[in-house]
Amino acid sequence: MPPDSIPRPRPLTPRPNLARFWPWILLAVAVVPAVWHITVFPTDEDGEYPGVVRPTFNLRPPSAYRLAEPGDTIDRVGLYLSVLVAVASGTGWWLSRRSGGQTGLWPSAIAIACACGWYAATPGPCYDGWHGLGWRTIANPSAPIGLRVGLALAALTLGAVLAVNLAKTRGLWRDYFAVARSRGAFALLILAVPLLAFRGFDLPGVEPAGYWPRWSFAWGVLAMLMAAIRLLPAWPPAMKRWRLGLVNAAMAGGLIAMGLWVTELHRPLERLRVVEPGRIFISAMPTYRGLQIEHERLKFKTIINLFDEATPQRSPFHEDEVRFAREHGIRYVGSPGSSPDSDAFLDESLALAQDPANWPVLVHCHGCMDRSPAWMGIYRFLVQGKPMVDILREIEAHRGVRPKATVTLLYNHVLPSRAPEAYANDPTAQLLQKYAQGVVGPYDKRKPRRVAGPNPTSPGSVPRR
């Protein structure tokens, strides 16, 4: 049969290469938790006291405010992703050198990744008033001149690496862009630019402050990482690939450890929050190292531990804390726990916090999630005269979840006797009393309140700001 008479197969319709879309799918998945935490309000009941109504007082779910805090989850994610970009870029640089070709723009990528990691590891502001190690410290006249010079040199070094590499390869930019387009990395790099730039701004009047810029930064670094992976040169033979993997793992571990060390300098005491600037602070259980760093800045005179350490749940850091207080002449006051002296201890702690001779005062429990924020709310109501709605909003934002039902019961127990007129005239305080109607709490088991009729409130009864 002549060749021309042989029937030829019809050309197949080209199918989309799904492998090209995985970075975009991953980016879309990364957006989901941001939208979830900003829109989905908690509705769970308190297992200990399910009869106490617990609405949300903030405009947004409490978890969004917690995620927006400097140095919390989103900043950590940004740090980890920046390290991965640096490692991937270093791998691309090494593979390019190994093949005898041009190193391309990999040095620029390393410099940008290091700058991103530096930015993520130095979240501001520092709640203790410290100048920090971020790039803004370069222009801070209150920071030591040696530190400012060192940070300026580090910034200039990264900038020089970026500028020199771009100038050296300027004749090859068109080829690099063509390769980036062919490998599906160009659009990712273009997207990363505005996402990273948005980190330096905020949306006025949009709560919580810093939430979307932090997410935008994480997404931008993620886009950079996926672009770097797409642009990696050919890997070495399988026999050597595992060695390169070990080197990369060691580099990533070292860079992450360095970043976390820098972050620790910015947040030596976990969950630190200012109650009175320069006077009163709350935090989670401090470590000896954390106290060393923070005491250099704040010079604590008094430490009040709200957790009863004479229990099986005592903190492993308790003895170190007491030793630190003894070594530095700091007054240490421990909690009597659930003994009949708890009311007297509350009054004592409030009196200590108001005495200038005891400032600065550190008030803490174990996680700064229950006792310490609740104590802060009592101080703000009794001493500062803050409205209860603002107090509950602050506690929600600090905890990242709604206060436990025991906080409502606690406030209904301790505040009416100490500020009867203020509590009776505060609209939100009146709601707290309604929310706990018919519930016998740990503070009034001997005097249960009997009320007629069902609980008239519901989680949706409090308008969100």
Side-chain angles (χ1 to χ4, degrees):
M1 183 179 293
D4 291 342
S5 63
I6 299 177
R8 298 183 180 279
R10 295 175 61 185
L12 297 175
T13 302
R15 297 181 179 179
N17 186 1
L18 294 180
R20 293 178 63 88
F21 295 103
W22 70 263
W24 303 101
I25 296 174
L26 186 56
L27 273 172
V29 171
V31 173
V32 172
V35 176
W36 172 274
H37 286 292
I38 204 70
T39 57
V40 179
F41 285 82
T43 58
D44 59 305
E45 293 182 344
D46 189 314
E48 189 176 10
Y49 294 99
V52 177
V53 179
R54 297 161 61 229
T56 300
F57 289 88
N58 276 293
L59 178 64
R60 296 297 179 188
S63 58
Y65 295 86
R66 171 76 180 267
L67 289 172
E69 284 196 358
D72 214 287
T73 306
I74 308 178
D75 282 337
R76 294 290 177 92
V77 170
L79 171 62
Y80 301 150
L81 290 174
S82 299
V83 167
L84 293 180
V85 174
V87 172
S89 301
T91 300
W93 175 82
W94 182 81
L95 292 176
S96 299
R97 298 243 334 164
R98 184 179 180 277
S99 63
Q102 296 286 338
T103 57
L105 296 176
W106 291 116
S108 296
I110 295 173
I112 294 173
C114 290
C116 290
W118 177 17
Y119 194 83
T122 56
C126 296
Y127 293 136
D128 56 7
W130 187 53
H131 45 70
L133 296 176
W135 63 268
R136 291 182 178 86
T137 303
I138 298 173
N140 186 351
S142 65
I145 185 63
L147 175 63
R148 296 171 62 190
V149 171
L151 292 175
L153 289 176
L156 288 174
T157 300
L158 293 177
V161 171
L162 177 64
V164 170
N165 182 238
L166 291 175
K168 186 177 179 181
T169 59
R170 62 183 180 275
L172 301 173
W173 287 1
R174 182 172 298 179
D175 296 334
Y176 293 152
F177 292 157
V179 172
R181 287 193 185 95
S182 66
R183 296 192 181 184
F186 184 74
L188 291 169
L189 293 173
I190 293 299
L191 176 63
V193 174
L195 288 176
L196 293 175
F198 184 58
R199 178 63 183 87
F201 302 91
D202 211 340
L203 301 175
V206 176
E207 295 185 24
Y211 182 82
W212 290 115
R214 281 186 161 79
W215 274 113
S216 177
F217 180 83
W219 296 331
V221 180
L222 179 60
M224 285 179 53
L225 174 61
M226 293 184 293
I229 293 174
R230 281 191 172 278
L231 292 172
L232 283 175
W235 283 62
M239 197 66 181
K240 296 182 179 179
R241 188 174 299 178
W242 65 271
R243 299 179 184 175
L244 183 58
L246 288 178
V247 172
N248 285 344
M251 288 178 57
L255 290 174
I256 289 175
M258 183 183 303
L260 293 179
W261 175 75
V262 173
T263 301
E264 182 189 19
L265 294 178
H266 282 247
R267 299 183 73 200
L269 298 184
E270 288 293 327
R271 314 290 297 126
L272 182 70
R273 193 172 192 87
V274 179
V275 181
E276 289 270 18
R279 299 177 180 181
I280 306 170
F281 303 82
I282 62 171
S283 78
M285 186 74 191
T287 62
Y288 192 92
R289 171 62 177 163
L291 284 172
Q292 280 183 319
I293 298 174
E294 202 63 83
H295 185 61
E296 285 294 321
R297 303 169 187 170
L298 296 177
K299 307 298 182 184
F300 293 121
K301 292 184 179 180
T302 308
I303 295 178
I304 301 174
N305 187 350
L306 301 178
F307 197 95
D308 181 12
E309 301 293 349
T311 65
Q313 291 77 35
R314 65 181 299 170
S315 169
F317 305 116
H318 172 60
E319 293 183 1
D320 287 340
E321 177 191 37
V322 174
R323 177 166 60 90
F324 183 90
R326 183 173 58 251
E327 292 172 351
H328 294 81
I330 300 173
R331 180 177 183 178
Y332 177 85
V333 182
S335 170
S338 58
S339 70
D341 298 328
S342 57
D343 272 341
F345 173 69
L346 172 61
D347 292 330
E348 179 190 7
S349 64
L350 292 171
L352 288 171
Q354 295 177 74
D355 187 349
N358 298 317
W359 295 338
V361 179
L362 175 65
V363 181
H364 73 83
C365 52
H366 281 184
C368 200
M369 291 291 287
D370 298 312
R371 291 171 174 82
S372 299
W375 184 95
M376 176 181 66
I378 294 172
Y379 182 90
R380 295 216 186 279
F381 189 83
L382 296 179
V383 180
Q384 297 179 326
K386 294 287 184 70
M388 183 57 67
V389 65
D390 291 343
I391 291 170
L392 293 175
R393 285 170 181 159
E394 183 180 16
I395 293 176
E396 284 180 354
H398 178 72
R399 297 181 80 241
V401 292
R402 294 170 298 165
K404 287 184 176 180
T406 50
V407 173
T408 298
L409 299 173
L410 172 66
Y411 285 0
N412 288 337
H413 172 72
V414 304
L415 295 180
S417 61
R418 290 168 173 80
E421 184 176 353
Y423 204 69
N425 293 330
D426 187 290
T428 307
Q430 295 176 18
L431 289 177
L432 293 184
Q433 293 178 323
K434 292 181 180 179
Y435 292 160
Q437 281 185 346
V439 177
V440 179
Y443 312 104
D444 55 356
K445 288 184 177 180
R446 295 182 181 179
K447 297 182 293 182
R449 291 174 292 174
R450 300 181 181 274
V451 295
N455 192 328
T457 60
S458 63
S461 62
V462 177
R464 299 188 180 102
R465 187 164 56 92

